[in-house]
């Protein structure tokens, strides 16, 4: 008789209880089942295995050679099942891995901190993948769970496996050498960048969505996109490259301060970086629930999803950032 491909763990649990007690009545009481039901499960297991597991007499129950052979296997299988159930029990979920792009960017960090307050029993671990395009591949591979960034700027093949929740219209800025002619201004009109070469991550495969946003902003305004540069890792290297090339750098208003530079908000219009919380389709985790709630709370408290007067975003982003809307929306940018 062939061994079945699957054996119900309940049958193994019935067998193990009888094997340890060598008494059907006591084993049934231990499992909180009727003795008749326990005997039925043991007989079914014997039929499925094609082996007699116990010798039963009116006076005693003993294991057969096949029963003794099964015993260590049954213990290992049931221990593994108990470990699995414990790992997924309420309050025992695995850590949620959350990409914040960069340690200095505030939006994702604030959402993560609020989520930790809302779900103190969940472990939410920060990661830094430097760009939503780079993080998206990690999300789809299951090596990350959530990230932040411009969802509309992702390749459609990446978007198809992800879900998103709008979080913030983040005003954009420009980082300038402190002796740059535009550094004396409190705000920099976008038109004042005409003739400038501005760095926006060109050539970095992890930040394609950001370079695409810059390209759309610069189009028709006489602003040149800086040629690709080797990726500068760390503040010191970023500062060195910036001092050498002297290119303004497109950023957001919360971009961290760097030595010998100034950060100036862009105006006329106010360019907006659309930020979404992004996660893998089908992901179920209490930490993700906390992140989504935290993002909604902060957006409401801080007005993150209110478009400022004169705000600019590409049409494709306007569709994504309206709750419930999709990428087929082609509303005009403001």
């Amino acid at each position: 008789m062939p061994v079945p491909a699957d054996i119900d763990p309940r049958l193994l649990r019935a067998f193990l209880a009888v094997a340890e007690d060598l008494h059907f009545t006591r084993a049934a009481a231990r499992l909180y089942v009727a003795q008749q039901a326990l005997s039925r499960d043991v007989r079914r297991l014997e039929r499925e295995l094609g082996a007699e597991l116990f010798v039963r007499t009116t006076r005693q129950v003993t294991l057969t050679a096949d029963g003794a052979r099964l015993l260590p296997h049954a213990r290992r299988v049931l221990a593994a099942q108990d470990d699995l159930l414990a790992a997924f029990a309420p309050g025992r979920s695995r850590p949620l891995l959350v990409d914040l792009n960069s340690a200095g960017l505030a939006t994702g960090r604030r959402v993560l901190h609020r989520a930790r307050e809302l779900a103190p029993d969940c472990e939410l671990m920060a990661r830094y993948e430097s760009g939503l395009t780079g993080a998206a591949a990690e999300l789809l591979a299951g090596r990350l769970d959530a990230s932040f960034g411009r969802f509309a700027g992702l390749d459609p093949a990446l978007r198809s496996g992800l879900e998103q929740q709008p979080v913030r219209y983040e005003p954009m800025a420009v980082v300038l050498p402190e002796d740059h002619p535009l550094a004396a201004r409190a705000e920099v009109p976008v038109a004042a960048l005409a003739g400038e070469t501005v760095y926006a991550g060109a050539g970095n495969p992890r930040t394609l969505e950001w370079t695409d946003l810059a390209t759309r902003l610069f189009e028709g305004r006489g602003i040149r996109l800086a040629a690709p540069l080797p990726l500068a890792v760390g503040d010191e290297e970023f500062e060195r490259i910036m001092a050498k090339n002297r290119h303004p750098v497109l950023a957001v208003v919360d971009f961290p301060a760097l030595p010998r530079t100034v950060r100036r908000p862009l105006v006329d219009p106010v360019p907006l970086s659309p930020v979404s919380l992004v996660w893998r389709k089908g992901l179920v985790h209490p930490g993700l629930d906390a992140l989504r709630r935290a993002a909604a709370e902060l957006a409401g408290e801080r007005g993150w999803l209110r478009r400022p007067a004169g705000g600019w975003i590409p049409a494709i982003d306007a569709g994504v950032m309206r709750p419930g809307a999709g990428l087929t929306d082609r509303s005009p940018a403001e």
Side-chain angles (χ1 to χ4, degrees):
M1 179 177 178
V3 176
D6 296 298
I7 295 177
D8 188 338
R10 187 187 81 251
L11 305 184
L12 291 176
R13 211 168 287 280
F15 161 77
L16 183 61
V18 177
E20 290 177 343
D21 286 336
L22 294 177
H23 197 285
F24 275 80
T25 301
R26 288 196 296 268
R30 188 209 295 193
L31 296 178
Y32 300 99
V33 299
Q35 182 177 333
Q36 183 180 11
L38 178 66
S39 297
R40 185 171 60 246
D41 283 347
V42 170
R43 286 195 298 271
R44 178 182 162 190
L45 179 61
E46 289 177 322
R47 287 195 305 271
E48 291 189 2
L49 293 176
E52 185 181 20
L53 303 175
F54 297 102
V55 175
R56 307 162 179 86
T57 70
T58 56
R59 301 185 62 181
Q60 65 179 0
V61 176
T62 57
L63 279 168
T64 65
D66 282 330
R69 186 158 62 100
L70 175 63
L71 185 57
H73 297 290
R75 283 180 171 144
R76 286 196 296 271
V77 168
L78 293 173
Q81 186 193 39
D82 290 341
D83 288 344
L84 184 152
L85 294 174
F88 286 85
R92 292 291 302 276
S93 57
R94 65 171 178 81
L96 191 81
L97 304 182
V98 185
D99 167 48
L100 300 183
N101 185 283
S102 171
L105 297 181
T107 299
R109 189 177 70 250
R110 289 169 182 162
V111 173
L112 179 61
H113 288 176
R114 175 66 63 87
R116 286 170 173 164
E117 294 171 358
L118 293 173
D121 293 333
C122 286
E123 186 62 73
L124 286 81
M125 300 291 295
R127 295 289 186 271
Y128 303 96
E129 290 299 318
S130 181
L132 184 58
T133 300
E138 300 296 291
L139 291 172
L140 293 172
R143 291 187 289 267
L144 274 177
D145 295 309
S147 186
F148 294 87
R150 181 180 169 242
F151 186 73
L154 294 178
D155 184 277
L158 295 175
R159 291 197 305 258
S160 65
L162 302 170
E163 296 186 75
Q164 63 98 25
Q165 175 180 319
V167 175
R168 184 180 184 185
Y169 293 111
E170 191 164 14
M172 295 167 72
V174 65
V175 177
L176 303 159
E178 59 186 359
D179 59 350
H180 191 281
L182 296 175
R185 303 191 183 205
E187 300 175 327
V188 175
V190 174
L193 293 175
E196 295 279 356
T197 298
V198 179
Y199 180 71
N204 183 351
R206 290 178 168 269
T207 59
L208 298 179
E209 76 287 347
W210 179 254
T211 305
D212 175 74
L213 181 63
T215 300
R216 293 170 185 266
L217 174 63
F218 297 168
E219 186 177 5
R221 290 186 165 97
I223 307 170
R224 295 185 296 272
L225 184 68
L229 292 171
L231 180 62
V233 178
D235 290 351
E236 181 177 341
E237 192 65 6
F238 186 90
E239 179 189 347
R240 184 188 69 81
I241 292 293
M242 190 171 179
K244 179 179 180 180
N245 293 283
R246 298 191 54 78
H247 292 323
V249 175
L250 190 67
V252 293
V253 293
D254 284 337
F255 192 81
L258 295 173
R260 291 181 285 281
T261 68
V262 297
R263 182 185 61 241
R264 298 291 183 256
L266 291 170
V267 294
D268 303 327
V270 177
L272 302 171
S273 171
V275 179
S276 291
L277 171 63
V278 182
W279 65 94
R280 184 172 58 259
K281 279 186 177 178
L283 176 62
V284 177
H285 193 290
L288 175 61
D289 296 338
L291 276 178
R292 297 190 65 185
R293 181 179 164 196
E297 286 185 2
L298 286 168
E301 293 167 8
R302 297 171 180 258
W304 280 353
L305 289 174
R306 288 198 297 268
R307 295 267 294 275
W312 173 94
I313 58 172
I316 191 172
D317 293 275
V320 168
M321 293 298 286
R322 186 163 54 250
L327 283 168
T328 55
D329 189 307
R330 288 296 182 269
S331 305
E334 293 182 4

